[in-house]
Amino acid sequence: MRQTAVNNLPDTILRSWHRCTDLGVIEDQIPYAEPLTHAELLVLREASGELLSIVEPELDFLGEMFHGTDSVVLLANPNGMILDARGAGGFLDKAGQVALKSGVVWSESARGTNAIGTAIAESALVEVWGDEHYHRQHANLCCTAAPILNHQGRIAGVIDISGDVRLPRGYAQGALSRAIRETEHRWLMQSPGQLQRLRFHEKSNHLGSFREGVLLLDGEIVVGANREAVRWLGASWSLIGERWTNLFKSPPLKLGADEALLVTHSGIVFRGLLEQPTRVAKQPQADSTPRQPAQAAPSLVAHASLSSVSSAWLDPMTRLQLDQAVRAVDAELSVIIQGETGTGKEVMARLIHEQCQRKNKPFVAINCAALPEGLIESELFGYAEGAFTGARKSGSIGRVFEADGGILFLDEIGDMSLTLQTRLLRVLQDRAVQPLGGGKSRTVNFVVLSATHRDLAAMVSAGSFRADLYYRLHFHQIDLPPLRHRNDKAAFIDALWQEAGATRRQLSLSDAARQALCNYDWPGNFRQLAHLVKTLVALAETGQTIDINNLPSEYRITHKPVSVDTPCQPTESIPPHNQDLSPERIKQALEQTHYKVAAAARRLGVHRSTLYRYMATYNL
């Protein structure tokens, strides 16, 4: 070890030098680094597919930000193997000369003290400048690296920014810290659908940003978290496995309810939300099962990647709408998904992304109703350096640009202000994003999926939604029926019952209870039903039969109310009015409108809900 320099070393570097000595790394002898072959690197990248897909937007952002600074942006796996490198040609070539390139391991044991290896060893952001590298041959480099932690606090990868040693110390710290936190937040936002997410912060307007704390919950048990949650709670990663009641003294939040107060045992007050994400399992990369010949209608072919609940939700009509929407997206046409709250609009959007040609590109979801008015423009379109007070120095590329190459999903598009509608229209026309506060315009390629529970056509007539934007978005429309208009509620109840673990706990649902659930009006639709079933299973004793008396009082409906349109099973009779709506006439209208229910209803001269009722009655 170079004793003369020891007294001037930061503690992090000194510990690394000691580790290198203990590992037998020879100070002035760098072993030859044989990079992986192209084929070997592809296999390794395939094994790290989830990491690469989650971190890619941040790599693109950092690559743009440090363009022209004699820097290279690197992504390494937990073993220090570089998987990806971004940067300008000149410095990228220089970095490659010292083996700072894809397919080479930069652990401490392989390359001595360096930012990637030392960040892994320290599990923290690390800067290694010039002579602080263990090998003198790396003294012309300055490197900043930080680990990406998964939901259990384990290292999933490392992002590194390396440059010429003459760059000012600390130049990459802020941007890298932000990129790491954004990546980790995105990781939790893509958590498995069966896990609930508790999102909290001291300030309401930080909910939804990377600054919020996030806990993943399996019932009352914490099974995942992000750094912000660990920091806000003054805890460590040992909180994994803890019960909710060990962290908060306030009662558990209601799933899907508006934000509420959360109080810790030490008296800290947060604003919190509890939500159930909807995520469809990824399509297997390789499928040895022969594909079904395309003889039957594509809407009737089962999607192997779906859960039993999603399969039950995708009745033949909804499957047909999914297949048509996929074809529209593949033709780069915008799609509007219309339906009441809780009918599965985001589920449909994610299914479209999973099935379309852009499935390996980003899916960026933005809830237009959840973003504060003052932040939505900068969140969508990004902002230039110094665009407003509090803007980060490097600016932001914005969510729209993050969707480049993939799908931009605008949920609750009907709640977007007229000012932002104008900006979005300009982006759709020019296919370019102009950041708030000026800056260089960036070309962007995406397909828009939008969703709303509002009647956009009526809003256009009322002047609250721009007609030109509506026609830009309205190439194809999906109408998702409310649960009360479905004649297969029993199948959906049974699928939810199984997924909630009822069979494992030997629970059963009586016929009277099932019929009562079918009779209920379900204003909250599929989401409300899913929450109720999960609650019933959670509160039941092992081996219990859930009868009608075990249901909350508002669900104990022994006779179908007149206002309810559809029972559990198809009825023999049809409503007394509109007797001329025969199955043949309805089929003809649907075929003529390419199964656009709203258009078919207009052609038949009835309300859309009436058409849904008849379709359910005839089992169409």
Side-chain angles (χ1 to χ4, degrees), residues 294-335:
Q295 304 163 3
S299 59
L300 301 178
V301 179
H303 294 275
S305 63
L306 300 176
S307 68
S308 59
V309 172
S310 297
S311 294
W313 176 74
L314 272 175
D315 66 347
M317 179 60 67
T318 312
R319 287 179 187 272
L320 179 59
Q321 292 197 92
L322 169 62
D323 292 329
Q324 290 175 337
V326 168
R327 289 197 289 273
V329 168
D330 286 343
E332 300 189 355
L333 302 178
S334 300
V335 175

Side-chain angles (χ1 to χ4, degrees), residues 391-454:
R392 61 189 177 107
K393 186 177 180 181
S394 58
S396 170
I397 62 172
R399 303 300 306 283
V400 170
F401 192 76
E402 283 184 14
D404 189 29
I407 300 291
L408 179 67
F409 175 53
L410 299 175
D411 199 6
E412 301 302 348
I413 186 73
D415 293 303
M416 181 178 280
S417 71
L418 284 169
T419 302
L420 290 174
Q421 290 176 34
T422 302
R423 292 249 11 222
L424 178 60
L425 178 64
R426 177 59 60 86
V427 171
L428 294 177
Q429 289 172 337
D430 298 345
R431 291 293 165 178
V433 178
Q434 179 74 38
L436 185 67
K440 184 179 179 182
S441 181
R442 300 183 180 95
T443 58
V444 62
N445 172 22
F446 58 83
V447 173
V448 178
L449 298 179
S450 51
T452 183
H453 66 281
R454 300 180 183 275

Side-chain angles (χ1 to χ4, degrees), residues 33-52:
E34 179 68 43
L36 296 179
T37 65
H38 179 67
E40 291 169 333
L41 184 59
L42 284 179
V43 171
L44 192 61
R45 286 172 60 87
E46 185 73 16
S48 305
E50 185 176 16
L51 170 66
L52 287 164

Side-chain angles (χ1 to χ4, degrees), residues 226-248:
N226 65 350
R227 292 188 220 222
E228 302 304 308
V230 173
R231 180 172 66 86
W232 281 113
L233 295 173
S236 66
W237 288 100
S238 61
L239 63 77
I240 305 296
E242 291 276 4
R243 289 187 173 275
W244 167 294
T245 51
N246 293 343
L247 301 173
F248 303 100

Side-chain angles (χ1 to χ4, degrees), residues 78 131 146 165 225 273 330 398 423 440 453 512 517 534 556 573 575:
D131 286 333
V165 72
L273 289 167
D330 286 343
R423 292 249 11 222
K440 184 179 179 182
H453 66 281
L517 295 181
K534 189 169 185 179
R556 299 172 192 171
S573 61

Side-chain angles (χ1 to χ4, degrees), residues 125 176 218 221 285 304 374 396 402 525 535 575 608:
L125 187 147
L176 179 59
D218 187 0
I221 307 299
Q285 294 295 321
S396 170
E402 283 184 14
N525 292 296
T535 301
R608 187 172 60 208

